[in-house]
Amino acid sequence: MNIYTQKLIDKANELDVYDISAFVLGDRRFDIWSGSSKPIQHHYGKNGLSTHTWEVVELCFVNDKTLGLYLDPVELFLSALFHDCGKMWDYQPADTDYKEWCGTEHKRLIHHISRSSLLWNSACTQHNFKYGKYADSVTHNILAHHGHREWGSPVMPKTKAAWLLHLCDGISARMNDADKCDFVKN
């Protein structure tokens, strides 16, 4: 298990939400999965997804404290944990060493945002709606985490938690891929 997955498990235990978090953290793929299918994209390669997820969780909590937002820590954690878990269906290893990754038909047809929301809602159902008070807010945060419809989000962020997740996701992604490619065409 990599250090970021362990930190996520520790945070889930700290917040007493490991039971529902295990839906993601207990999936053996999560620990090793890539965050993208191309080396120029953010968090490409083995452990990329868990690294990105931990960064987003940490950024959400640090910024919540810094900005004095006092958002619900359970909603924040579960939103950040589940926001990209659908990438385990979007990408697959192209070799047995997990050094190369490629996109899947799932990415083209369904996409990780929809899958992540479906997984979150399935987890809520399997836990007999123990987390029912978070069902809609976490769903909204997941669906809005790309921030714009043209970037793949079916809804725009409408709450502070949704905006915070979107912005922290972007910080993690851009700080990881900023030196990998030229964004400005000459």
Side-chain angles (χ1 to χ4, degrees):
M1 176 179 310
N2 75 56
I3 189 169
Y4 300 109
T5 301
Q6 186 58 57
K7 287 180 177 188
L8 289 164
I9 290 169
D10 293 346
K11 188 70 169 178
N13 284 324
E14 174 189 322
L15 294 171
D16 197 28
V17 294
Y18 183 78
D19 56 348
I20 197 162
S21 301
F23 209 80
V24 173
L25 298 172
D27 187 319
R28 289 184 287 165
R29 295 174 299 168
F30 179 77
D31 189 54
I32 59 172
W33 228 246
S34 182
S36 64
S37 64
K38 295 181 179 121
I40 62 168
Q41 295 171 329
H42 78 90
H43 296 90
Y44 174 81
K46 188 175 180 182
N47 308 100
L49 180 57
S50 58
T51 302
H52 171 63
T53 302
W54 171 249
E55 290 172 1
V56 173
V57 166
E58 275 295 288
L59 286 165
C60 282
F61 278 92
V62 166
N63 283 286
D64 178 57
K65 182 177 179 181
T66 300
L67 297 170
L69 300 175
Y70 306 105
L71 298 174
D72 184 312
V74 170
E75 176 187 348
L76 211 52
F77 176 75
L78 292 173
S79 298
L81 177 65
F82 277 83
H83 87 281
D84 270 352
C85 66
K87 287 186 174 188
M88 291 185 283
W89 283 260
D90 277 2
Y91 311 119
Q92 64 188 21
D95 61 23
T96 57
D97 295 330
Y98 302 102
K99 291 182 180 175
E100 294 186 30
W101 296 80
C102 59
T104 65
E105 186 71 0
H106 176 277
K107 180 177 172 145
R108 189 177 74 80
L109 297 176
I110 299 172
H111 198 258
H112 79 272
I113 293 176
S114 298
R115 177 64 61 194
S116 296
S117 178
L118 289 167
L119 292 168
W120 161 249
N121 282 278
S122 180
C124 284
T125 302
Q126 288 187 23
H127 284 86
N128 297 316
F129 295 98
K130 173 182 173 185
Y131 297 93
K133 85 178 223 178
Y134 299 108
D136 285 347
S137 59
V138 172
T139 297
H140 172 71
N141 299 342
I142 292 167
L143 292 174
H145 85 265
H146 277 196
H148 303 279
R149 288 187 177 97
E150 57 271 15
W151 293 353
S153 276
V155 297
M156 297 288 293
K158 301 289 184 188
T159 65
K160 288 179 181 179
W163 272 108
L164 187 60
L165 178 62
H166 162 61
L167 294 169
C168 292
D169 179 55
I171 290 169
S172 170
R174 297 301 72 83
M175 292 303 99
N176 184 266
D177 66 15
D179 295 331
K180 294 181 181 178
C181 64
D182 293 327
F183 290 103
V184 179
K185 302 218 182 230
N186 293 331

